[in-house]
Amino acid sequence: MSPIRLLNFLIVFLAVLILNPQVSAITGEKAQTLARDAVSLNPELSRQAVGELRSMEAEGLKTLFEVYAAEIKNHFDGRDSANWEQISAALDAVAMQKNAFASGLYWYTDFEKAKQAAQREHKPILSLRLLGNLNEELSCANSRFFRAVLYPNAKISKILRAGFVLHWQSVRPAPRITIDFGDGRKIERTVTGNSIHYLLNSDGELLDALPGLYSPAAFSDWLSDGAQIFQKYNELSDSLRPDFLRQYHRLSHERIEQRWRENLAQVDAQTAGKLTADKTADLSAQNLVSVSAARAANNAFGKKIVEFPSVRETALPSTEKLLALEKETDVGDWQKIAALHSNDSQLDANSLVLMRLQTGLDKANFARLISNFENYLALDTIRNEYVYRSKLHEWLAVSTVNHLNQFNDRVYASLFLTPKSDAWLGLYSPDVYAALDGNGIK
């Protein structure tokens, strides 16, 4: 903030205090009273207090964290207070996210309110689409992993709180399966389902998308790039914005092909050698946002926007190369490529504490669990990046998205292979005999 703007802010702030010095104190006292009522054992009092804190948006959640800072710290240290269950429930209800104590993030579930907040704060929107609800324990597996390894991550949480307005929307309920051992023991899990993060401008227009689970390092990089895309997009005139996005996605698509080819050459030179590559410019060191903005600006030269048919109406030239790479990259190669990116999948201290609290494992078993999970995380990241995200870049490079929900339907139908038309998400087929009345359908 410039010295002049800071001085103006202080003058206005002091004027408010002079005219009514008790305003801030009264507001703070009311919020703290609501925070105490939110954990009351009286269900109606708690419900009303949570509702009022929720209506205060991020400030309401902030008050809960301030009032119960000691209890939250004790929980991280494994020493729960007697009313921790009520405190945790209040935090989740105001934040609209399960395990909100670990992330401190406030999520909108009303898209119009999210847009209003984004316009008011001049921020992009990060909109999550998932199966189930983010504030419930048994949402889809990927969204649970987001809550464990992405949102609590100290760096990511800070970026999200400072730079984004957060919103989530359920696509459909997450299917669950219960295994009953008949002796009182049960295992309950979700099956199938996927999640996707959308980067939107303040008006809800789609800028970029990240499908599935990514490592903390990759997710953090994507958020940083997203902030630049949002800024550059807003700086351009309305006539230039569509071409800016198409060029960004075209270049991103090409760079994925380049990185994938390079990774495959590192782990399987013989297979990589069978795939011919054109003599194209090295994109690895280029800032895609800057390059895209420059290309979009050049399109306006002579007061005329140049239409690129290859960008607007046809598949990208490198799409065929990506399909060839996907065909030639087998399971063993995927695992070796994932190993190249293993450092990006290391979890931070906050995530490790949360996962330790959830699992209750001893030190040795927990170490094995984390090692296995970080390997899985690295593999999922590069698969999502090279296979799923490349397809998203192709779609976004050749057409403009006017309706996010319709685009999301396409993602779930064609990318995640869980279309709305399949009520059973591929888990049931009438052609399979189960030797059960009604084929086990209830």
Side-chain angles (χ1 to χ4, degrees), residues 47 91 204 212 223:
R47 185 190 65 79
L91 288 167
L223 292 176

Side-chain angles (χ1 to χ4, degrees), residues 116-131:
Q116 291 169 12
Q119 292 162 4
R120 183 173 64 247
E121 300 173 22
H122 306 289
K123 293 178 179 179
I125 300 170
L126 183 71
S127 183
L128 168 68
R129 302 302 168 95
L130 72 157
L131 268 62

Side-chain angles (χ1 to χ4, degrees), residues 10-27:
L10 289 174
I11 290 172
V12 173
F13 180 71
L14 290 172
V16 171
L17 290 182
I18 291 171
L19 292 173
N20 191 353
Q22 294 183 335
V23 169
S24 178
I26 291 174
T27 303

Side-chain angles (χ1 to χ4, degrees), residues 61 74 113 199 394:
L61 183 63
N74 287 340
K113 288 185 178 179
L199 173 69
E394 179 188 353

Side-chain angles (χ1 to χ4, degrees), residues 108-170:
Y108 289 89
T109 54
D110 184 315
F111 191 49
E112 291 305 314
K113 288 185 178 179
K115 288 197 294 183
Q116 291 169 12
Q119 292 162 4
R120 183 173 64 247
E121 300 173 22
H122 306 289
K123 293 178 179 179
I125 300 170
L126 183 71
S127 183
L128 168 68
R129 302 302 168 95
L130 72 157
L131 268 62
N133 297 310
L134 193 64
N135 60 327
E136 297 175 351
E137 184 173 20
L138 286 173
S139 59
C140 62
N142 271 354
S143 61
R144 299 199 303 273
F145 293 149
F146 299 161
R147 294 195 304 244
V149 304
L150 297 183
Y151 305 151
N153 179 281
K155 180 180 178 181
I156 291 172
S157 178
K158 182 178 180 180
I159 292 173
L160 291 175
R161 283 198 304 272
F164 293 83
V165 169
L166 307 181
H167 164 264
W168 65 261
Q169 179 175 318
S170 179

Side-chain angles (χ1 to χ4, degrees), residues 34-52:
L34 290 172
R36 289 189 288 270
D37 290 344
V39 302
S40 170
L41 294 177
N42 181 325
E44 183 59 23
L45 180 62
S46 174
R47 185 190 65 79
Q48 291 180 0
V50 164
E52 289 194 54

Side-chain angles (χ1 to χ4, degrees), residues 291-309:
V291 171
S292 300
R295 290 192 182 185
N298 287 338
N299 289 350
F301 181 76
K303 299 182 180 180
K304 178 181 180 181
I305 297 177
V306 178
E307 301 272 340
F308 292 102

